[in-house]
Amino acid sequence: MSIDIKDIIKPENLVYQKSSLLTDRVMHYCPGCTHGVVNRVIAEVIEELGIQEDTIGVAPVGCSVLMYNYIEVDWHEAAHGRAPAVGTGIKRLMPNKYVFTYQGDGDLAAIGTAETIHACNRGENMVMVFINNGIYGMTGGQMAPTTLQGMKASTCPFGRDIERDGNPLRMTEIVATLPGTCYVTRHAAHTAAAVRKLKKALLKAFDNQKNNKGTSFIEVVSTCNSGWKMTPVQSNKWMEAHMFPFYPLGDIKDV
Amino acid sequence: MAKIRGAIVVDNVTCKGCSLCVASCPTDVIRLADEVNAKGYNYAYMHQPEACIGCANCAMVCPDSCITVYKVKLAETV
Ligand SMILES: Cc1ncc(C[n+]2csc(CCOP(=O)(O)OP(=O)(O)O)c2C)c(N)n1
Ligand code: SF4
Ligand code: SF4
């Protein structure tokens, strides 16, 4: 039996459309950037929970610095690395609001290491999203604490050398050891299945906040195809082959 | 047996031609056009519309929320 395309494309047959919380602005991210997918999923989660009016996001410095242009909630922009400190202040002043921070690895795991660790150790009741693409994307692909051994970056063109540059940092495993975190998990957003799992994790993290459980920390192993100098599809394959063995996906802590 | 048919609508003005949707489609529905949009990107389109099952895998991986997905169940006449 055949059916015409125009008879399928009807409101009653709709299964997926862009979240109403996303603005009409075209995202400034490079084609295929993981930031776009994660921004979108966060919007979908806030929409699904019906907490738009009560949510405050804290945007970072890095490629996602303009994230406040894309999701229709209240926002605060933090100085580089300081999102967890700013989020702490907001949540303590307005404990009935849902607060989330969103940071890259240069932001969360380099300049902001102290703020990250102390917010998690204090168990600030908020959701922290950590985009780990292994480099400083915005400033030209420099080596980050998260850059893998042997991985090329603009400041280590022959690959990260452990002798010279030290070991890559697994921030997520570190915060899982802290008593203040209630939920620590590592995800990706490169396949439809991974995106669906990420969405579930975010739903759970916001639910933890509702129940005053402490800090929920979600890492998303990500690509920066421009910085990595690969196509988006190649970047996803490279991430699976090289990032996942060092940054394995799954729950690290769930109390 | 019911048969599933799907369809997608790509916003080809905002599509950046990243090809992630092409790689994620289990039934090889999507291709990038030879033509470019105003931003210079080869935008995605339904190359094999009859193969679409409306699973929304493409929409899940699109960083720019360009894809709307529809699905119908057809009662097959034997
Ligand atoms: C105090 C301060 N130091 C340095 C910078 C320069 N700077 C801007 S973005 C950035 C790194 C961003 O990398 P990351 O957090 O990994 O985010 P990405 O761009 O990869 O998403 C740096 C060092 C700054 N803006 N402010
Ligand atoms: S995933 Fe989105 S932006 Fe990328 S080619 Fe497909 S429709 Fe265009
Ligand atoms: S809905 Fe599924 S089958 Fe249809 S184009 Fe998208 S990925 Fe392919």
Side-chain angles (χ1 to χ4, degrees), chain B residues 6-8 21 24-30 46 51-59 67 69-70:
Chain B
I8 61 168
C21 57
S24 79
C25 176
T27 56
D28 208 10
V29 170
I30 314 171
M46 278 213 287
C52 180
I53 52 171
C55 66
N57 278 7
C58 51
I67 303 178
V69 186
Y70 299 86

Side-chain angles (χ1 to χ4, degrees), chain B:
Chain B
M1 204 189 77
K3 188 177 171 354
I4 303 284
R5 277 286 309 268
I8 61 168
V9 177
V10 180
D11 180 345
N12 56 24
V13 176
T14 55
C15 171
K16 295 178 186 160
C18 70
S19 217
L20 290 178
C21 57
V22 177
S24 79
C25 176
T27 56
D28 208 10
V29 170
I30 314 171
R31 292 246 176 114
L32 295 189
D34 292 331
E35 301 78 43
V36 295
N37 61 17
K39 289 205 163 198
Y41 295 122
N42 299 94
Y43 52 84
Y45 75 104
M46 278 213 287
H47 173 73
Q48 288 196 80
E50 58 301 324
C52 180
I53 52 171
C55 66
N57 278 7
C58 51
M60 287 297 120
V61 298
C62 176
D64 290 279
S65 309
C66 305
I67 303 178
T68 310
V69 186
Y70 299 86
K71 183 160 92 171
V72 285
K73 252 188 207 156
L74 302 175
E76 212 158 11
T77 40
V78 197

Side-chain angles (χ1 to χ4, degrees), chain A residues 30-44:
Chain A
C30 304
C33 176
T34 311
H35 276 305
V37 182
V38 183
N39 286 194
R40 202 197 78 221
V41 176
I42 291 173
E44 289 171 8

